Every structure is written in C-alpha cells, then in structure tokens.
Amino acid sequence: MKKIFLFLAAFSVILPFQAQTLNVTTSDGVTYKFPAARTGDMVYNQGTSLTIMGKTFAVGDIASMSIDNTSVKDNEVSVSYNNKSASVTVAGNVARYVTPSINGAHVSIEQTNTEAVDDDELTYVLSGTTDDGDFSLSGSYKCTISLAGLTMTNQSGAAINVANGKRIQISAKRDTENTLSDCSGGSQKACIYSKGQIQLQGNGVLNVVGNTKHAIKSGDYISVKNLTLNITSAVGDGVNCEEYLLVKSGTVNICGVGDDGIQCDLGGSVASPAVDDDHTDEDTGNIYLEGGTLSVTADALAAKCVKNVGDAFVSGGTFTLNANGGVDTSDATDLSYASGFKSDGNFTYSGGDITINVNGAAGRGIGSEGVFTSAEGNTGKITIVNNGALVSSGSSYFATAKGIKAGEVVVDGGNIDITMEGAAAKGIKADKSDGSGNITITGGVLTVKTSGTGAYDGTEADAKGSSCLKADNNMTVSGGTQTLESTESGGKCIKVDGILNISGNPVLTAKTTGATFSSNNKKAQPKAIKSDGNMTITGGSINATSKGHEAIETKGVMTISGGEVFAFSPADDAINSASHMYLQGGDITGVSNANDGIDSNGNLYISGGVIMACGAGTPECGLDAAERYCLYITGGTVLGVGGGNNTVTSTTGSQCVLSTSGSPAANTIVSVVNGSTKMANFTIPSVYSPNTGGFGGGSFPGGGKRPGGGSMSGGSNNTSNFSYVISCPGLISGNNYTVTIGSASTTAKASTSYSGR
C-alpha cells in the first residue's frame, strides 16, 4: 500500500515534464494503459482502492504499476495468446467499461458501455497462438473484433462466442492469416458465434473449422466485405444466419460441410421488410450477392450450396457452386434435392457470373419456389452443368434433374447456358405447384442442351422425355436468342402444357435428334417445339428440326401471322396442329422427308405470307388437312410439294391455284411466270430428300382430274411425278401460266379450287 502511494507521488512529479503512460497490471494478468496527460485526479481511497479515469481497482488486485513511453491507442483492447496463456491490455479511456477475465488462454470480457466512447466503438485486437483457448464477449453495444494473426483452437467450445445482440464487426487485418477451430462434440452453435449481427471484413485471411455444428453462426444478419474467408470443414452449415445475408466483396471459399454451404433463415416468425436501403430492421431471409468471389462445394445428402427462406438477389460477383449430394428419399411424398441455389422465394439475377456444377442425383442448379428472373440489361452469365441422374421408385416417386426450376421463369436479359445429362431431365422448368407455371422470354441469350434418355414415370404411368424448356402452363417468347438441343430418346426442346406465343424478334433454334422412347405401352416422342394448348407465332426467326417426329406441333389451334418459320423432320410432319391451322403471314417453310410438310388435323386456312410445304411421296402431302376438313387459300404466296396435296376448296375470296407435277429435288428453283412477269419464285430447301412411299406407305387414296393441266391425278410414289400446288396474288381463274421446275417448264391453268387428296 505504501509503495503505491510513493509511486503515485513520483508519477505526479514527472508528469508535467514528458509524455508518459501509466501501466496498471492486475493479478489476473490484465494491463490497463492510461495516458498520463489524461489521467487527471487519481483517487486513492484509504488504502483500499485506486480510481484512475473512472476505473476503480482494489488495491489488493494490483500486481504492479509502471511508467513508460509506450503509446496508447484509444478504445482498443488487445488480447495476446501464447499457447496455454493469454494477456489482455486495455486502453485507459475504455478501462471503466471493460472487465476481462483470464483462465489460461480462455479470455472472457464483459463490456458495459451503452453508447460510443470518445465518438467511437471499442475494438478488440486478437493475436497469437493457442491450442486450447477462446474469446468470449458480452455486452450491449456494437464493437469490432480485429484478428491480427490469430491461430486458435478451443477444446471445450466455440473459438469466438459473442453474447452481444448488437452489430459485431469481425475484421481480419491486412496481410494477416487467422485460423479458428472449435471442439468436436460440444454444445456450441458454431466455431464463431454471435447473438447479434456479424460484419465479416478486412483485407486479411480468415480460416474457420466447425467441428460440432456450423463454422459461423449469427442470430442476426451476416455481411461480407473484402475479407478472404475459407471454411474448410463444418459438421453443419458453413455459414448460418438469420434475417438476411449480404456479400458485397471479398473471397469466400466453403467446402467440407455436412449440410448446406450457406443458409439464411428468418429471425422471427413473420418476415418484415427493410425500412431503408441499408437493410435497417430487415428480417426477410433474403440473400444479396453484390460482388466478390464465392466458391461453395456441398457434398452432403440433399445439401444446398446456398439456401435461403426469402428472396435471392444476385447482381454482381463470380460464383462457383458444386452440388454433389444425392436426393433424400426418406419421405417419398416430399423429396429433398441437392442444389446450387435454393430459394424459398423469388430469385432475381441482374449481374455477375455464376457457374454451377451438379453431380447429385436429381439435383437442381437453381431452385426457386417463386419467380426466377434474369433481368433486362444483365451482362452476366449463368453456366449450369447438371449430371444428376434420374431417381425413381415405382409409383412412389419419380425425381429428375433440373437446371433451373421455379414457379415462374422470366428471362429478360443475361446469358444462360445449361447442359443436362440425366434421364428425363429438364433444362428450365416452370412448375405450376410453385407458381403460375409460366415461362416468359423477352431477351438475353439462352442455350440449353439435354442428352438424357426418356424414362417411365410410375407415379403418373407415363413415358417422359428430357426437355430444354418445360412450362407447366403457358410460354411467351418475344425476344432474345434461344439455342436448344435435345439429343436422346423422347426429348423435346420446348414443351408447353398450355398456350405458346412467339412474337417480336426472337431467334429460336430447336433441334432434337433422338428416337421415340417406349416403355409399358407408353411413348415419349421427340419434338422440337410442342404445345398442348394453342400456338401463336407472330414474329421472330424460328428454325425447328426433329429427327424422330414432328418439328413443330400443337394439340390445339395453330396461328402463324408473322416471322420466319422453318421446320424440318426427316421422319414425321414438319408442322402439325391437332385442330385448325391459320397461316396468315410470315415466311413459313415445312419440310418432311417421310410425312406431310404442313399438316392440320382440322381446317387449314392460308390467307397470307410466303408458305412452302414439302412432303414425302404417296400417301403424304405437302399441304394436308384432315379428312372431313378443308384447305382454304385466300391469300399468300404458296407452294405445296409432295406425293399429293390436299384438295383446295373454293370459298368467298379464294385465291387461284395452279397445279402440275415434277421431280422433288433439293435446291430446285420453282417459278410462276405470266409473260415476262414473274409472279412467284421458290427454292426447294436443301434438306428435302423425300421418301417415295411416305411415312404411311401404300397408294394415295385421292384421285380425280386436276384442273389446269398437269399429268398427276391425286398423288404418286414416282419421284418424277410429285404434286406441285402453287398459289399467289394476281392469278386469274381460267388463265394459263408458265410453271418452271428446275429446267422443265409446263403450262398450268389457274382455278379457285383443286381436286387433290
């Protein structure tokens, strides 16, 4: 006691002469550093206590006091670990608010301030190495934990545990590497846990291992900026938070997790939106990926690389996600799948580059139970390679891989490239059980390829094929570029359960090369473009090819009034409608080498456009309407070539037709001339190489004398005697015109009707 009194007396004498620091070290190893110039009056109370800058020490707890010239950084608390021990140094201006406790290398600090100290928050600087230590902090005001070269393993709990519900900034100092690990089999929620918000930042490196549950867990939001974060192992999630997740920049690498890479949940029972752009008071379960680099590998059963209960917003950055886990079939009524992204809400993509590799059976690249949107003006790219196999069990479940699956899909921009290999897989699917089931495409570049075979679905007792685009309801395509290819049995490029509308200026290429898939007396037929509802095309450039069946087919009414449509099938109809077909405008070409070029199973109405229909030999047709139905031509420039052509029925406003016969050679020029006036000109497509017997074989059931000359009466299987029917504006009934097919010319008489099949 006397020594302390004499020390204080000496300190008061030398204080005026030079800058000094008063160091007070307590018996538990904590050193408090007081700037001499700011100590003011020190109160020495009857030999029992000493108060300096508001901090009161019991005299019996003071181990030593000293004076030196070291500098003091205000608001800073330094914790240095040295194997089995730790030391704590506290800046004098915050000494009154900090109560440290040290037990070996286990450091616990109680922080009592409820507002800023000298206009700033407290910063805890952690450094050193320990194989059995931790840092625990309680309090009720925000602070920063600065990692300055820390290697820490806790053998009995979390490495960092913050029981402070306020914002905690965890920062890795520049040029430092920090490694944290917790114990296995403990009760802690994570290696790094905070009751409040965690802001992960800094220009250093933070490595984290979670041996009991998660690597990092916050009871509030988590944000990431600048930091390099490596999570190399976790029994549970790599990062688990509530309210929302924000990644602005930095590098995050997550692997070796036993559950999801990143998971974001609600903090409360009901979601509440932010009150401002800074996410104040937000509790949505949303994720915001605005920049940086994120790499996540999730290998566990049904694990997601990134999972959240709210909406997902991706606007920048580079993301590589590897979803390798299988499908969880423990509940056959509610299967769970591995995914790159899984959002219970909407998924909005407006920028950044995303690469997703899916190897887990029936896995998803991106799954959203709301609306997936690739925004207009988006210059980023999504690349999904999904090798997920089909998983099925009789009538219990039938699970196929998906590239993007959402309740509704909207593509307004961006570049999306999807490759699917699993049986009956879907590149993009709009699922009616999660939303409208609609797909809307107005822009962007979309490339989808499926190479999985067909499969039998025991849950619906039906055969299923792969699809590049599958809409449970309607699909609208009005812009962008779509390149779609399905190479295996039963595959389709576009499959729409409802109405398909194509308008504007899209460039659409759809190609299938597989055969029909058959199983249990059910078939899945390969088709380039298929809709169960009506199909309307008013614009765009469409090139559809199907090796095994129809190139373009609707089970409803087909209307084409604009655009360029080219359809080719070497095996079946090129263009087919189950009901009436209206060709009103545009440039339309249907070529089949084994069936009809254009086939309507209702009436076929042609009123405009440039139409070329090339079909196979008898009994197939270039232009075909079903029995008991009629072909009406009231406008347009029309060529029908095949073993036969449908009877043209005269009606009010009929446009005259010409008929003749000739060879169906590819690249042949067909023209109609009236004197010196060329009235129509066609070039037979290069892919036209028709079978002489057609798809159905047998003799042509038509017959009858054809008006206007020509030697053919109904149809023929002689390739030198295919039926040619031509119509164009300006033809006058009863007048003769010169029809030239290649180098052969003949004279044909115009009529408002034609007796064909």
Side-chain angles (χ1 to χ4, degrees), residues 52 222 281 571:
I52 307 173
I222 289 179
D281 296 333

Side-chain angles (χ1 to χ4, degrees), residues 349-364:
Y349 171 59
S350 58
D353 293 320
I354 300 173
T355 300
I356 302 176
N357 300 298
V358 182
N359 294 306
R364 281 88 164 102

Side-chain angles (χ1 to χ4, degrees), residues 431-518:
D431 195 318
K432 203 170 184 179
S433 64
D434 292 329
S436 69
N438 294 335
I439 295 178
T440 302
I441 303 172
T442 66
V445 177
L446 185 59
T447 305
V448 184
K449 180 177 181 180
T450 69
S451 57
T453 63
Y456 181 75
D457 181 357
T459 66
E460 297 183 3
D462 200 5
K464 302 288 182 66
S466 297
S467 298
C468 297
L469 307 181
K470 169 64 168 66
D472 282 357
N473 198 15
N474 302 325
M475 182 184 296
T476 299
V477 182
S478 60
T481 300
Q482 302 84 39
T483 304
L484 314 174
E485 183 178 8
S486 185
T487 64
E488 277 293 345
S489 59
K492 296 176 178 63
C493 293
I494 292 178
K495 172 64 172 69
V496 182
D497 291 351
I499 296 170
L500 173 60
N501 290 313
I502 301 176
S503 62
N505 59 350
V507 178
L508 169 60
T509 303
K511 180 180 180 182
T512 67
T513 56
T516 297
F517 173 80
S518 300

Side-chain angles (χ1 to χ4, degrees), residues 321-324 338-340 356-365 384-388 402:
L321 309 180
N322 303 297
N324 300 325
S339 302
I356 302 176
N357 300 298
V358 182
N359 294 306
R364 281 88 164 102
I384 300 175
V385 177
N386 192 328
N387 302 313
K402 313 290 191 302

Side-chain angles (χ1 to χ4, degrees), residues 364-376:
R364 281 88 164 102
I366 298 174
S368 167
E369 294 182 13
V371 180
F372 170 89
T373 301
S374 184
E376 183 179 3

